[in-house]
Amino acid sequence: MATHGKYGGVVPELASREHLRAIVPVVRLALGQAGTSFDDLAAIAVTEGPGLVGSLLVGITYAKSICFARNLPLIGVNHIEGHIHAVILEAQETGAIELPAVALVVSGGHTHLFEVREGYTYRLLGRTRDDAAGEAYDKVAKLLGFGYPGGPIIDQLAPHGDPRAVKFTLAHMKGNKLDFSFSGLKTAVLRWVQQRDLAGEIEARRKLQNPSIEDWLRWTPKPTLDMLASFQRTVIEELLLRATASAEEIGARALIISGGVASNAGLRAAARSANFPCPVYFPSPALSTDNAVMIAAAAFVKFRQGSFADLTLRAQANLALA
Ligand code: KG4
Ligand code: ZN
């Protein structure tokens, strides 16, 4: 965050350099904290895509090296499947999630709805036609002079505004009714900003050094707080509307909501009070944003199936889950 924050988003070249710098010490630290060593491992799992190719390559090369040196099997994991398995893993502590389920994966790069079937096979039900939900949060935050990532900041500011103050309209989808669109909302926010003289408050926020939420609040007048609350309400309505329709369409027995945006407090509260046709599962906040636990959880299914990769495994920036 410290590296990318000042650019208002992830810079691919800097990300791969950071991966290269961090990967060996991070793995060493993780093994140490878990009280284990390379000798105890049964396999190495690694993300093969989707994602930034430079960062994927660092992980894949390192994983292959360990497998080659230690004679361990290699498992390639789809990042999106990881987000889904973060929820499946945690739910197992109180009983398994019933299938078929609908999985809503909402992150900085994805807003996708999948049907999760027996044996963990997937069918794409709907997806965003333009921006991902997290991307919309980040772009709105950047436009208004807030830091990166924008999601957590807007989420914390939203309860201080009136979510009904600005009437944003939900995207009207032609064709697949389970698809999303966030570019219209983003443009509506841009227009709202352009119709006002916000240069002073935006500049004041941009100048803040390591601001706390109290600092953001001090430099954000009520009309802007109202707009942010209304933006967040509209995103949440859009997400839950299509998730509910998907659950009804396939007769889902569970709804899984995962990915960075799943840590949104407003989304969690709205999902709890909504009238869903089935139980709703979220990951704990720590497993909502990108993490390695979710990759291991998805890999464990493949490990039991004996579904291993070989050293020809490639980074696939646009790898699809279904
Ligand atoms: O899953 P993730 O960690 O990385 C990707 O695979 O993209 O998701 C990061 C995204 C960012 O766009 C960030 O702004 C958003 O998740 N995010 C949130 C919240 N926390 C993270 N969006 C809304 N509310 C949050 N509390
Ligand atoms: Zn992710």
Side-chain angles (χ1 to χ4, degrees):
M1 295 313 174
T3 306
H4 300 292
K6 49 184 175 288
Y7 302 100
V10 173
V11 183
E13 190 52 42
L14 293 182
S16 36
R17 261 186 253 164
E18 288 292 304
H19 274 66
L20 201 55
R21 198 182 54 75
I23 199 158
V24 173
V26 160
V27 170
R28 201 171 286 153
L29 190 65
L31 288 172
Q33 285 182 357
T36 186
S37 74
F38 282 121
D39 294 336
D40 298 321
L41 302 183
I44 302 287
V46 67
T47 307
E48 57 180 321
L52 296 172
V53 77
S55 303
L56 292 170
L57 274 173
V58 172
I60 289 174
T61 309
Y62 183 52
K64 283 180 182 174
S65 311
I66 300 171
C67 290
F68 184 66
R70 294 269 164 175
N71 201 20
L72 288 171
L74 177 68
I75 303 171
V77 174
N78 182 305
H79 179 87
I80 302 175
E81 188 173 17
H83 275 301
I84 296 172
H85 274 274
V87 183
I88 294 171
L89 174 79
E90 288 188 312
Q92 269 163 6
E93 291 177 9
T94 50
I97 291 180
E98 287 190 59
L99 301 179
V102 163
L104 169 63
V105 181
V106 260
S107 70
H110 296 90
T111 303
H112 283 50
L113 280 161
F114 297 100
E115 177 179 356
V116 185
R117 297 165 163 168
E118 239 22 271
Y120 301 118
T121 55
Y122 306 90
R123 182 167 72 95
L124 182 67
L125 298 170
R127 55 172 296 172
T128 180
R129 299 209 186 142
D130 36 66
D131 291 347
E135 195 179 356
Y137 268 98
D138 295 337
K139 285 179 179 170
V140 165
K142 187 174 178 178
L143 173 71
L144 284 153
F146 293 102
Y148 174 85
I153 301 171
I154 295 179
D155 190 14
Q156 290 178 79
L157 294 179
H160 298 275
D162 173 5
R164 305 266 158 205
V166 183
K167 305 272 173 282
F168 292 122
T169 45
L170 286 185
H172 222 70
M173 303 311 290
K174 291 205 181 82
N176 186 1
K177 291 278 184 281
L178 303 180
D179 278 350
F180 302 88
S181 172
F182 293 101
S183 70
L185 176 59
K186 187 184 64 185
T187 309
V189 172
L190 178 65
R191 221 172 292 127
W192 187 92
V193 171
Q194 285 169 341
Q195 284 162 358
R196 286 160 182 79
D197 182 17
L198 303 187
E201 62 167 275
I202 293 175
E203 201 41 44
R205 284 191 294 262
R206 286 213 175 108
K207 285 202 186 114
L208 295 175
Q209 301 282 331
N210 297 319
S212 64
I213 204 68
E214 287 72 29
D215 295 327
W216 291 127
L217 268 174
R218 195 167 314 125
W219 293 98
T220 308
K222 185 73 167 59
T224 303
L225 291 172
D226 287 346
M227 189 280 289
L228 292 176
S230 305
F231 163 80
Q232 166 140 317
R233 175 183 61 85
T234 312
V235 173
I236 293 170
E237 278 180 13
E238 167 92 356
L239 293 175
L240 295 184
L241 179 77
R242 318 231 184 252
T244 311
S246 301
E248 278 163 3
E249 180 162 312
I250 69 154
R253 305 177 74 172
L255 171 60
I256 294 169
I257 304 184
S258 192
V261 182
S263 47
N264 187 277
L267 176 63
R268 286 173 185 247
R272 266 196 303 275
S273 58
N275 220 347
F276 280 122
C278 56
V280 186
Y281 297 87
F282 281 93
S284 57
L287 295 192
S288 294
T289 46
D290 289 350
N291 63 84
V293 172
M294 69 188 206
I295 303 304
F300 191 55
V301 178
K302 294 175 195 282
F303 180 77
R304 278 186 304 200
Q305 292 166 345
S307 151
F308 299 114
D310 60 31
L311 295 183
T312 63
L313 182 78
R314 290 184 305 117
Q316 294 182 68
N318 298 312
L319 183 65
L321 180 59

